[in-house]
Amino acid sequence: MDFEVTYTPEQEAFRTEVRDWLVDQIPEGLEQPVDPGDLSLEQYEKLRLLGRRLGAKGWLYPTYPTEYGGGGLSVDSVMILEEELDRYGLHLPPYYDSGGRLGGASIYVWGSEEQKQAFLPPIFRGEWRTWQLLSEPNAGSDLAGVQTRAVRDGDEYVINGQKIYIGSLHGCEMMWTIVMTDPDAPRHENLGWLMIPYETEGVTIRPMELLTAGGEGGASPGLKHTVFFENARVPAFNLVGGENNGWKVATTHLELEHGGGGMIRRNKVVDQFLEYCTTTKYNGETLSKDPDIREAMADVFIKNEIVRLFGLRTYWLSHAHKPRSYEGPQTSYTRKITALEVAEEMLRAVGPYAMINDDEWGPLKGLLEHNQRAAVVGLHPGGTTDVQKVIMSRRIGIGRNVKEQAGRLR
Ligand SMILES: Cc1cc2nc3c(=O)[nH]c(=O)nc-3n(C[C@H](O)[C@H](O)[C@H](O)COP(=O)(O)OP(=O)(O)OC[C@H]3O[C@@H](n4cnc5c(N)ncnc54)[C@H](O)[C@@H]3O)c2cc1C
């Protein structure tokens, strides 16, 4: 693959169609790049409206077949969609929705035809947004060690247990989870994968405030929840992938969470930092005239570019259904570590003012301070940096005699 993508005239015509459509359909107020710190319900509702509009056109989850609510589009068209949304500081989906990105992919690979018909269209058309309920107090990195129990009772499963670090602001319509279905079976063969409506009796959701304060525009929203199950009942139909097959189902969304889906987004904060340094004066001199600041500017630009290209490679491999191995966790690891390094370098270049998160005094209205918190917290979700290294090592044959395979995406 060429590191940079070039487009045919037909693809450029599609870009024009997308650009025109977005000008018409972007809800009022989203025309300017989205503020990643905006946590308001108003902002969320606008993003959901855009999601439903994209979904109705098949552009929300564009590579999935049209019969399930996707757009049946090729990877090149999706990259064009992503690039055009990126101009507004948005991406697909334009809000936090782990169902379409992760859970939907698992249902597509492991669900029965009836389950695909029931669950995928509302997800892919943006009618449902979903949360993932994976982590537990004693099962984070060791996800296969979950203890939340689901017991079959006639046509239902009865769930008891607790999940942590769940969701985002403003609720959702559906949740998906991994639970223990057979405590006597061996590890990895004792789990089930369930869809659970948000409004289910016996489910209690309590907020859990974290250091970061990301809004819907970011990948890791700041507000998380603890979810308690007390004899919560869901239809047995909602068990995807069959009895005690939950770990296999999970390997699909874990592959995506561990970087296997790639991304084409660049860290826009870096662009804003570069612009700030070339346009802001200190003691009568533009910041970028200072050799140390210039050095930092070049450095963060290079690092940001490396992450973008890693993401682009993995994005293409997964969407073009090419063989994959270590590339996902390598991308995820590099993205997380680089985000931390870049955040620190930008703070150091701007100096103590950068720590002011305030519209009037903080450079870039406090964005650099916000970005630093997000980078620290971002080391954890979707598998920590240590876990990415562990997976990468297994796949290149360090620590395992037989090289581990990447999770199935189609
Ligand atoms: C912002 C945010 C959003 C999140 N969103 C969700 C969500 O929506 N749904 C959800 O289910 N969960 C979510 N999580 C939880 C997240 O998946 C877990 O925090 C993560 O998997 C790590 O688990 P843990 O916190 O239990 O840490 P632990 O697993 O206890 O790890 C503690 C430390 O030990 C290290 N470690 C653990 N195992 C190994 C190993 N084998 N080798 C080397 N080092 C190791 C880890 O890297 C870490 O530094 C979120 C977390 C955050 C911070």
Side-chain angles (χ1 to χ4, degrees):
M1 174 202 183
D2 270 349
F3 263 92
E4 266 324 335
V5 184
T6 49
Y7 295 104
T8 63
E10 292 76 23
Q11 288 163 341
E12 288 301 345
F14 179 67
R15 181 187 300 284
T16 306
E17 183 191 340
V18 173
R19 200 170 284 187
D20 293 347
W21 186 90
L22 283 172
V23 169
D24 275 356
Q25 300 292 330
I26 285 270
E28 204 183 323
L30 293 185
E31 305 90 345
Q32 296 303 315
V34 171
D35 172 4
D38 188 341
L39 310 175
S40 67
L41 179 62
E42 195 190 349
Q43 171 89 330
Y44 169 65
E45 283 175 345
K46 284 179 191 165
L47 293 168
R48 285 298 302 270
L49 174 62
L50 176 61
R52 286 193 299 276
R53 287 178 179 168
L54 285 162
K57 206 145 168 66
W59 285 358
L60 187 59
Y61 291 100
T63 55
Y64 286 97
T66 50
E67 69 258 38
Y68 301 129
L73 297 184
S74 67
V75 60
D76 312 286
S77 314
V78 182
M79 288 172 78
I80 290 168
L81 269 165
E82 291 270 20
E83 284 172 2
E84 290 306 310
L85 277 163
D86 190 55
R87 288 155 52 89
Y88 294 87
L90 294 167
H91 45 83
L92 291 174
Y95 45 85
Y96 174 78
D97 173 30
S98 72
R101 221 169 52 79
L102 308 173
S106 286
I107 296 168
Y108 183 71
V109 172
W110 302 99
S112 65
E113 188 52 38
E114 291 75 20
Q115 287 172 325
K116 289 188 204 179
Q117 294 289 351
F119 298 135
L120 294 181
I123 293 177
F124 291 159
R125 291 191 188 126
E127 290 148 18
W128 291 349
R129 79 116 148 218
T130 78
W131 289 352
Q132 66 197 88
L133 277 57
L134 303 174
S135 307
E136 297 185 2
N138 293 311
S141 300
D142 179 22
L143 181 60
V146 294
Q147 296 293 311
T148 295
R149 279 284 276 131
V151 177
R152 180 87 186 237
D153 181 24
D155 286 343
E156 294 178 320
Y157 277 96
V158 183
I159 311 169
N160 281 284
Q162 181 187 348
K163 298 280 175 180
I164 52 169
Y165 290 120
I166 302 308
S168 54
L169 282 161
H170 313 308
C172 64
E173 282 77 35
M174 196 56 104
M175 309 184 287
W176 47 275
T177 190
I178 187 163
V179 285
M180 188 195 278
T181 36
D182 183 354
D184 299 323
R187 189 176 155 86
H188 296 122
E189 293 169 29
N190 56 350
L191 304 171
W193 200 97
L194 275 170
M195 293 288 281
I196 305 176
Y198 184 69
E199 301 283 350
T200 296
E201 204 178 319
V203 176
T204 308
I205 299 171
R206 298 231 177 94
M208 186 182 175
E209 299 236 8
L210 298 177
L211 178 68
T212 185
E216 288 294 337
S220 289
L223 187 75
K224 290 276 148 185
H225 301 85
T226 306
V227 179
F228 299 93
F229 295 100
E230 287 169 288
N231 294 321
R233 289 179 170 267
V234 294
F237 174 79
N238 291 14
L239 185 90
V240 173
E243 198 87 7
N244 300 330
N245 240 347
W247 187 253
K248 276 199 186 138
V249 181
T251 56
T252 295
H253 59 74
L254 290 176
E255 176 64 24
L256 290 167
E257 253 207 315
H258 295 156
M263 76 243 162
I264 63 162
R265 256 184 285 165
R266 48 191 294 123
N267 181 352
K268 285 232 178 311
V269 180
V270 170
D271 296 340
Q272 292 181 55
F273 163 78
L274 296 179
E275 162 119 19
Y276 177 81
C277 292
T278 44
T279 54
T280 307
K281 287 195 168 173
Y282 183 71
N283 282 345
E285 197 62 277
T286 310
L287 287 176
S288 57
K289 292 274 185 323
D290 180 306
D292 289 337
I293 294 181
R294 263 215 306 263
E295 169 105 16
M297 290 169 72
D299 213 37
V300 298
F301 177 82
I302 292 166
K303 287 178 175 162
N304 204 29
E305 196 61 7
I306 290 169
V307 170
R308 185 180 75 84
L309 293 173
F310 265 140
L312 193 61
R313 176 194 59 175
T314 314
Y315 189 92
W316 178 76
L317 285 175
S318 72
H319 282 79
H321 315 304
K322 298 284 176 195
R324 291 159 297 103
S325 153
Y326 60 88
E327 296 87 353
Q330 181 189 42
T331 302
S332 174
Y333 176 82
T334 311
R335 179 174 56 77
K336 284 167 182 258
I337 291 291
T338 306
L340 201 61
E341 287 171 5
V342 164
E344 205 179 312
E345 269 185 273
M346 294 192 298
L347 287 182
R348 205 178 307 126
V350 173
Y353 270 109
M355 294 307 287
I356 303 173
N357 191 341
D358 171 277
D359 272 13
E360 194 181 344
W361 290 96
L364 294 167
K365 299 184 177 176
L367 191 64
L368 296 179
E369 189 278 337
H370 180 279
N371 178 61
Q372 187 214 22
R373 267 185 293 144
V376 172
V377 176
L379 296 177
H380 256 239
T384 65
T385 39
D386 301 312
V387 165
Q388 307 303 337
K389 258 196 208 164
V390 169
I391 303 170
M392 211 171 72
S393 304
R394 288 175 179 170
R395 293 187 182 176
I396 58 178
I398 301 174
R400 282 271 163 104
N401 292 336
V402 179
K403 290 183 187 174
E404 188 182 84
Q405 301 291 308
R408 230 180 99 187
L409 297 186
R410 285 284 162 123

